[in-house]
Amino acid sequence: MDSSGSFERGARSAHGLDVSKVASPVRTRGHRGGVIVMHRALAHFRLGPTNLVAAIFLFVFFSLIWVVFLPKICLFWTHVLMLGIRILPLRAELGLAQHHLTPFISFDIPYLRMEPVLPSPLIWWLTCAVTLGLFAGSFFLSSKLIPVMYLLRGILLVPITALLYFVFLPARFPHTPDSYMEGLVTAGTALISIVPLLFGLTYYIFDFGLLKKAFLTAITMTHLALFLPLQVLLQALFLQKTVLFMPMLYIIFGMPVNILIIVAFYSWGMTWFFRSASSV
């Protein structure tokens, strides 16, 4: 390789070519000669005064809007949960956890209250059979699905651990459905509250324009606010059967799902054209 490189440099020098001018474009070309374009996020990243002021403005604006409307949003969640209790096969009661942001702003976070139910032998064996069946099925996946295979096995470690726990220490399970449901709604509320901060640090700094930044933030927070009570009702349907499902609901289908929603909206927003590139 060294000898071939020396030969090429010598040949170019023999023809009177400037080595620096000839060699530099090679770094931007692929193995078939195509031009490798710089990623648009790097090519158009300019943290100028306009984007910085817009980031601060949008962060303050959406944070204030959220704080002001949070009591009404909690009231909306309360109505959704009450409706779910009436129309769904759900044995639960509505609970309210009072919170105070300021002496003038207080709100009641709604959650569902249920009696803790230990797994019956039938539910334990059915859950064990489904878990072992999925784990065994992961060995028959195609080699092209290796990431899915290992992801599935990693997820199945959660119910396997829960099954073993409820075999040896069922009476020592420290969590109740009441505390879990309250924690789920509280964590979901906190996550929505920091969306303006997350986008301010990772999205507002790009030159997408004020309207696009505001639109992405609004639909992300609105989607999460509508999704949270439905997530609570769906998890309650499983949790009322037994607390055996609580680790799976918490670790896999809890806040990780809400975080993935934010990542999905952010990824979609990053595919939009930059303001400076839209006129090209």
Side-chain angles (χ1 to χ4, degrees), residues 4 10 32 36 40 45 52 82 92 94 99 103 109 120 132 138-139 142 165 168 176 184 188 191-192 253 266 274-275:
S4 62
R32 295 183 179 179
I36 302 176
R40 57 197 299 269
F45 176 70
L52 186 60
M82 291 178 62
L94 183 67
H99 293 267
I109 290 183
S120 64
L132 294 179
S138 66
F139 290 92
S142 171
Y165 184 92
F168 298 102
T176 63
L184 178 63
L191 183 63
I192 302 174
F253 298 106
Y266 175 83
F274 291 94
R275 183 173 54 182

Side-chain angles (χ1 to χ4, degrees), residues 40-174:
R40 57 197 299 269
L42 298 176
H44 296 273
F45 176 70
R46 301 183 184 90
L47 186 58
T50 303
N51 289 331
L52 186 60
V53 171
I56 297 174
F57 169 75
L58 289 174
F59 165 70
V60 175
F61 175 76
F62 280 103
S63 297
L64 289 177
I65 291 294
W66 174 253
V67 170
V68 171
F69 283 93
L70 184 55
K72 296 183 179 180
I73 294 174
C74 289
L75 184 60
F76 167 74
W77 290 343
T78 301
H79 292 313
V80 174
L81 294 182
M82 291 178 62
L83 179 63
I85 294 174
R86 287 200 303 267
I87 66 176
L88 294 176
L90 189 59
R91 300 184 305 272
E93 297 179 355
L94 183 67
L96 297 175
Q98 193 173 33
H99 293 267
H100 295 274
L101 286 180
T102 65
F104 306 99
I105 300 178
S106 62
F107 55 94
D108 296 326
I109 290 183
Y111 65 96
L112 297 180
R113 302 177 60 183
M114 295 178 293
E115 292 293 330
V117 179
L118 293 177
S120 64
L122 177 60
I123 292 180
W124 191 95
W125 281 110
L126 285 176
T127 306
C128 183
V130 172
T131 303
L132 294 179
L134 291 175
F135 188 80
S138 66
F139 290 92
F140 296 95
L141 293 177
S142 171
S143 58
K144 297 180 180 179
L145 300 176
I146 289 180
V148 178
M149 180 191 307
Y150 285 104
L151 177 62
L152 177 60
R153 293 176 186 175
I155 292 175
L156 291 177
L157 287 176
V158 179
I160 290 175
T161 305
L163 288 168
L164 294 175
Y165 184 92
F166 281 98
V167 167
F168 298 102
L169 301 170
R172 295 187 180 182
F173 191 68

Side-chain angles (χ1 to χ4, degrees), residues 119-272:
S120 64
L122 177 60
I123 292 180
W124 191 95
W125 281 110
L126 285 176
T127 306
C128 183
V130 172
T131 303
L132 294 179
L134 291 175
F135 188 80
S138 66
F139 290 92
F140 296 95
L141 293 177
S142 171
S143 58
K144 297 180 180 179
L145 300 176
I146 289 180
V148 178
M149 180 191 307
Y150 285 104
L151 177 62
L152 177 60
R153 293 176 186 175
I155 292 175
L156 291 177
L157 287 176
V158 179
I160 290 175
T161 305
L163 288 168
L164 294 175
Y165 184 92
F166 281 98
V167 167
F168 298 102
L169 301 170
R172 295 187 180 182
F173 191 68
H175 305 287
T176 63
D178 293 355
S179 62
Y180 171 74
M181 284 295 176
E182 181 182 353
L184 178 63
V185 181
T186 302
T189 305
L191 183 63
I192 302 174
S193 302
I194 65 173
V195 167
L197 177 62
L198 293 175
F199 283 0
L201 296 175
T202 61
Y203 190 78
Y204 297 162
I205 56 178
F206 294 101
D207 195 17
F208 286 105
L210 188 64
L211 292 180
K212 289 182 178 179
K213 297 174 183 179
F215 175 71
L216 184 67
T217 308
I219 60 174
T220 303
M221 298 179 71
T222 301
H223 186 281
L224 290 172
L226 296 175
F227 173 76
L228 185 59
L230 303 180
Q231 182 185 27
V232 170
L233 290 172
L234 181 59
Q235 291 202 12
L237 291 174
F238 289 92
L239 199 58
Q240 71 176 348
K241 300 297 182 181
T242 173
V243 292
L244 174 64
F245 303 136
M246 188 182 296
M248 190 71 173
L249 295 175
Y250 173 73
I251 298 176
I252 305 300
F253 298 106
M255 283 300 102
V257 175
N258 303 61
I259 294 173
L260 287 177
I261 291 175
I262 297 177
V263 174
F265 276 109
Y266 175 83
S267 302
W268 179 46
M270 286 300 295
T271 64
W272 299 344

Side-chain angles (χ1 to χ4, degrees), residues 1-20 22-23:
M1 296 294 292
D2 294 338
S3 61
S4 62
S6 301
F7 176 79
E8 291 179 0
R9 288 192 295 269
R12 290 169 182 169
S13 299
H15 289 285
L17 297 176
D18 189 355
V19 177
S20 61
V22 175

